[in-house]
Amino acid sequence: LESNFFNNCTAQIFTVASPSLPDLIIQSLAYSPASPVAGTVMTFSGSVLNQGTASTPSSSSTRLRIDIGNNGTWDVVPGEMTTSILAPSGSELKTWFSVWTATAGTHKFEVCADYISAISESNESNTCSSLVFTVTANNPPTATSFTVSPASAPVGTSVTFSATGTDDVKVDWLHIYGNGANPGPVVDNWFACGAVTTCSTTWAFTHTVAGTYNYRMTVWDNNGQSNTLILSLTVTSTDVPPVATS
């Protein structure tokens, strides 16, 4: 028998800490070129970051895949890359160079760290990150206008050609080429447009031989596509006054 049956037990609260584990995530997704058009070859990248409290015990595999059309199907898997052992807060940039020839439309790419789950992590559901991007259709440029003033001129008169070309991405060059009264070209000039979507210029020429001259103006885009307009110019003989010889 005891004098007090209610003081036979005591309790102690204790905490079991979670084990220190790595936690791999993907940051800084990027693609190039920044404004892709159909037909360009694209590069993709992403950084693997260990935001956990322990180093990864070994290297891991990082995967890129592409969803063409952003419709939920992964159509292109360029391959995996090996990521080194990462200490806590350590990161490593992975880049897949020139792995996909772009098609027009809206697409998505995804990069996943440790995609085969070979490493035990504190969070296994945050290893992937994705980014949606748009590829512009590679339409040919438009030769918008090509004129000459005056349309008919005497020999020795300066005439002015005006040209404009447009493109949905970039016009690189305007080119004028002309031939007619003499064998071979009488004009073969190029105008560098720079990084613009609308490009205009003028050329002034003087013809020394009468005849009909055929000119063509060609606009070229940054993908080597072109479009052309054609016109004709009539150069007349100079009207020499008659001479009273006697």
Side-chain angles (χ1 to χ4, degrees):
L1 296 176
E2 296 183 51
S3 61
N4 188 346
F5 289 100
F6 300 102
N7 62 354
N8 290 347
C9 298
T10 188
Q12 175 70 46
I13 297 174
F14 63 95
T15 301
V16 178
S18 299
S20 294
L21 291 172
D23 184 19
L24 298 179
I25 63 171
I26 298 295
Q27 291 186 325
S28 304
L29 289 180
Y31 59 88
S32 65
S35 299
V37 296
T40 57
V41 179
M42 297 191 64
T43 293
F44 301 88
S45 63
S47 290
V48 182
L49 169 69
N50 180 8
Q51 66 175 10
T53 56
S55 298
T56 54
S58 63
S59 60
S60 58
S61 296
T62 304
R63 180 189 63 193
L64 164 71
R65 57 183 183 174
I66 302 169
D67 177 2
I68 299 174
N70 190 25
N71 56 11
T73 62
W74 298 107
D75 309 283
V76 179
V77 183
E80 63 183 57
M81 300 187 74
T82 299
T83 299
S84 305
I85 293 174
L86 295 177
S89 300
S91 65
E92 186 171 289
L93 176 66
K94 313 309 298 182
T95 303
W96 290 261
F97 291 99
S98 304
V99 292
W100 182 59
T101 300
T103 59
T106 299
H107 316 293
K108 180 170 67 176
F109 76 96
E110 177 192 72
V111 178
C112 291
D114 186 33
Y115 80 98
I116 58 175
S117 299
I119 294 175
S120 295
E121 302 181 49
S122 58
N123 186 348
E124 298 285 359
S125 64
N126 62 350
T127 55
C128 296
S129 185
S130 62
L131 185 64
V132 175
F133 63 99
T134 300
V135 177
T136 304
N138 188 6
N139 298 315
T142 301
T144 308
S145 65
F146 182 41
T147 60
V148 61
S149 179
S152 177
V155 168
T157 301
S158 177
V159 296
T160 299
F161 293 86
S162 300
T164 298
T166 61
D167 187 66
D168 51 8
V169 178
K170 177 184 173 184
V171 180
D172 266 1
W173 299 92
L174 296 181
H175 177 221
I176 187 171
Y177 179 92
N179 60 17
N182 294 323
V186 294
V187 171
D188 189 1
N189 286 358
W190 293 80
F191 177 76
C193 295
V196 295
T197 56
T198 299
C199 180
S200 298
T201 192
T202 60
W203 297 275
F205 306 116
T206 300
H207 301 78
T208 59
V209 179
T212 299
Y213 293 80
N214 298 311
Y215 283 88
R216 69 172 183 261
M217 186 278 292
T218 304
V219 53
W220 295 86
D221 70 8
N222 61 317
N223 286 302
Q225 298 184 105
S226 64
N227 214 324
T228 299
L229 288 176
I230 298 173
L231 60 76
S232 294
L233 168 68
T234 300
V235 177
T236 59
S237 298
T238 302
D239 187 11
V240 180
V243 177
T245 56
S246 61

